[in-house]
Amino acid sequence: MEMDFERCYRAVDSRDQRFDGWFYTGVTSTGIYCRPSCPAITPKRQNVRFFPSAAAAQGAGLRACRRCRPDAAPGSPLWDVRADVVGRAMRLIADGVVDRDGVPGLASRLGYTERHLHRMLSAEMGAGPLALARAQRAQTARILIETTDLAMAEIAFAAGFGSVRQFNDTLREVYASAPSDLRAARGRQQAPAGAGTIALRLAYRPPLHARALLDFLVVRALPGVEEVRDGTYHRGLRLPHGIGQVALTPADGHVAATLRLADLRDLAPAVARCRRLLDLDADPAAIDATLAADPALAPVVAAEPGIRVPRAVDGFEQAVRAIIGQQVSVTSARTTLTRLLSHHVDHEVDVVDGDQSPGQPHDQRGVSGGGLRAFLSAEDLLGVPDSGFGMPVGRREALRGLARAVVDGSVDLAAGVDRGEAVRGLLALPGIGPWTANYLAMRAFGDPDILLSSDLAVRRGAAALGLPDTPTTLDRYAERWRPWRSYATIRLWRAA
């Protein structure tokens, strides 16, 4: 990644928090690295180096600043939206693929050799996949040290370290403190009650229009899976090592997150998926500036700055929702989904009460406190009988075709998927058309430049704002909104 020294230094000198996560400031005279908005005295030019990632700064022998906590900065919006190999790799590393499958597994998912992948990441990020994953492990470990009362050995393995010695050495190197010192520094603050419960803050670049996010999620909330209550969004999560639940409360400068996990190894993937769900790594200043340049959108951008695209915690879940939501209202789709989930839950209980022991894969009650469940998996959906769908045969078979494609690996719906390849794979399945594939590109795959011009609500919103409201004319007009047409789509939905 090429960084202009003068531009970066001006951002540091002005303590501009909009650049947090874009790059990191290394101060050679003190041996620390900071986020651009660090409140410390601006270092002299000759003592400054800029790095594209925390891992690159750590590789240069610098430790994290204790004052500005650069490891807690928002993620880079560049890697959040880029669809190339490096962007996909960064999303997969954030989702814990290196910790679970190693660098060979990451390279295989991306279709490149380990050597070439290391070369590309080093050129763009200043660090290879192992170093990037190591930086994430250090951050995960620090969160667990400061928010739980777990023994250090448990934290080491939960964070993905191969040994306690590696854990100790890494934290001393990154934070210039022993793990026990980091815990002592939290003072008398008590860990959240309950085994596997973690409370943390998810940073974002302001502004964040929290009400728009909650408005979108509440009308689509599925009973038993998610709910919005007293300004907090709650939902169940299906994670690589087990299940979990999260409560997300927007606040000033951050989103407060309380996670309950059946397996603490799922902390990093859970955090990555919650950030993705709320689109917390977006750059709202750049997005709003582009959209506000259109006089037709300028008033709504000024009235509601910081609108985000609500994304997804699970690609398969979002695909099922999209197929069921084809050509029906949001309320009707929610009713159908609720019926499908209720049938699955009833079937689950029958199995558990019969010949399935609690704790086996069918039983999701492994998180202390219970309440909300994870959405059904592809394997679960294939086990639902015809009577459990409550929809036309064509749509039912479209769902089964999707589930089979996910199970056999012919369609990948994960965060780091090649967007173009995923869309082509979806369009090849019976019952999935352009609207559904593009909707998934926007919400499940994070494409920032999707306009659903054939969507009835989008066309109504366009008409309400005095814009062209036929698909062809709207597509042509919307060229001026590139590369942020997904955000324009959300604003048109709100206008409708």
Side-chain angles (χ1 to χ4, degrees):
M1 178 181 177
E2 233 179 87
M3 290 179 292
D4 179 76
F5 184 93
E6 287 301 322
R7 186 184 181 199
C8 291
Y9 192 81
R10 285 197 301 271
V12 170
D13 193 37
S14 63
R15 295 171 178 78
D16 193 335
Q17 64 180 336
R18 292 176 302 170
F19 289 91
D20 288 353
W22 276 102
F23 64 88
Y24 296 84
T25 308
V27 185
T28 56
S29 57
T30 59
I32 65 171
Y33 69 93
C34 306
R35 60 169 80 189
S37 65
C38 183
I41 296 173
T42 304
K44 296 179 180 178
R45 289 172 177 269
Q46 62 266 30
N47 296 330
V48 171
R49 292 178 62 193
F50 296 112
F51 299 92
S53 67
Q58 293 166 18
L62 304 176
R63 66 168 178 81
C65 175
R66 296 177 183 175
R67 189 170 182 180
C68 70
R69 295 289 296 270
D71 56 335
S76 169
L78 185 64
W79 312 121
D80 182 49
V81 299
R82 271 179 54 169
D84 63 359
V85 175
V86 174
R88 293 169 56 203
M90 294 300 291
R91 289 192 284 277
L92 288 170
I93 291 170
D95 203 54
V97 169
V98 173
D99 293 333
R100 295 192 297 274
D101 305 325
V103 177
L106 176 66
S108 176
R109 293 280 294 272
L110 295 169
Y112 286 83
T113 65
E114 295 176 53
R115 183 175 180 179
H116 189 53
L117 178 60
H118 187 278
R119 186 184 302 118
M120 286 189 291
L121 285 171
S122 296
E124 294 265 11
M125 303 302 300
L130 276 178
L132 292 163
R134 175 179 176 268
Q136 179 168 283
R137 287 186 205 116
Q139 181 183 0
T140 300
R142 183 169 186 166
I143 292 171
L144 291 172
I145 289 168
E146 294 178 344
T147 63
T148 75
D149 289 323
L150 289 172
M152 294 300 174
E154 292 179 274
I155 290 174
F157 294 111
F161 289 98
S163 68
V164 175
R165 180 176 178 178
Q166 184 187 68
F167 161 74
N168 287 327
D169 290 347
T170 298
L171 265 66
R172 284 194 180 96
E173 182 181 335
V174 173
Y175 299 116
S177 297
S180 56
D181 294 334
L182 291 174
R183 176 160 283 173
R186 86 179 186 191
R188 298 182 179 180
Q189 181 181 352
Q190 294 297 310
T197 301
I198 302 154
L200 64 157
R201 294 182 170 195
L202 306 180
Y204 60 79
R205 289 172 195 80
L208 171 72
H209 200 295
R211 193 184 76 240
L213 276 171
L214 296 179
D215 285 349
F216 188 94
L217 295 170
V218 71
V219 298
R220 293 164 176 81
L222 299 176
V225 173
E226 55 189 336
E227 63 182 6
V228 177
R229 187 174 66 250
D230 300 327
T232 297
Y233 174 72
H234 305 257
R235 73 156 294 138
L237 299 170
R238 184 178 301 280
L239 298 164
H241 296 104
I243 60 161
Q245 294 177 29
V246 64
L248 299 167
T249 308
D252 186 19
H254 69 276
V255 172
T258 302
L259 288 155
R260 295 213 309 274
L261 304 174
D263 191 319
L264 289 176
R265 291 177 296 172
D266 283 328
L267 176 58
V271 169
R273 294 175 192 197
C274 290
R275 295 193 64 83
R276 192 159 63 243
L277 171 69
L278 301 183
D279 197 18
L280 297 184
D281 292 329
D283 183 359
I287 296 163
D288 287 355
T290 298
L291 299 183
D294 181 352
L297 290 185
V300 295
V301 172
E304 296 186 328
I307 293 285
R308 311 292 173 115
V309 175
R311 296 188 183 173
V313 294
D314 179 82
F316 177 73
E317 173 186 337
Q318 197 58 57
V320 171
R321 288 173 176 253
I323 291 172
I324 290 178
Q326 293 174 140
Q327 299 178 335
V328 299
S329 68
V330 171
T331 302
S332 177
R334 181 183 177 188
T335 300
T336 301
L337 280 160
T338 301
R339 186 184 305 119
L340 175 62
L341 290 170
S342 298
H343 187 282
H344 173 66
V345 170
D346 292 341
H347 177 66
E348 236 180 23
V349 171
D350 290 342
V351 172
V352 171
D353 289 343
D355 58 1
Q356 184 84 18
S357 300
Q360 294 300 310
H362 280 295
D363 185 10
Q364 294 191 33
R365 293 169 293 181
V367 178
S368 176
L372 298 176
R373 309 167 65 84
F375 193 84
L376 74 172
S377 67
E379 292 84 356
D380 291 334
L381 189 141
L382 290 174
V384 175
D386 292 353
S387 59
F389 285 87
M391 63 187 72
V393 173
R395 192 153 298 174
R396 180 187 72 205
E397 293 309 310
L399 289 174
R400 285 177 171 162
L402 170 72
R404 282 192 291 268
V406 169
V407 169
D408 67 25
S410 57
V411 168
D412 185 2
L413 301 176
V417 68
D418 180 306
R419 292 170 186 162
E421 184 178 319
V423 167
R424 287 190 293 273
L426 287 166
L427 290 173
L429 297 175
I432 296 182
W435 181 92
T436 304
N438 286 325
Y439 182 80
L440 287 171
M442 180 176 75
R443 293 204 56 205
F445 309 146
D447 191 328
D449 199 32
I450 296 293
L451 180 72
L452 300 175
S453 57
S454 65
D455 184 90
L456 180 58
V458 166
R459 293 166 59 194
R460 285 175 176 167
L465 296 177
L467 295 169
D469 60 352
T470 65
T472 301
T473 56
L474 183 57
D475 274 330
R476 193 159 47 239
Y477 184 91
E479 287 295 314
R480 69 194 69 193
W481 301 336
R482 286 184 180 273
W484 308 116
R485 291 183 298 171
S486 294
Y487 294 86
T489 295
I490 297 295
R491 288 190 178 275
L492 293 178
W493 272 336
R494 286 185 66 76

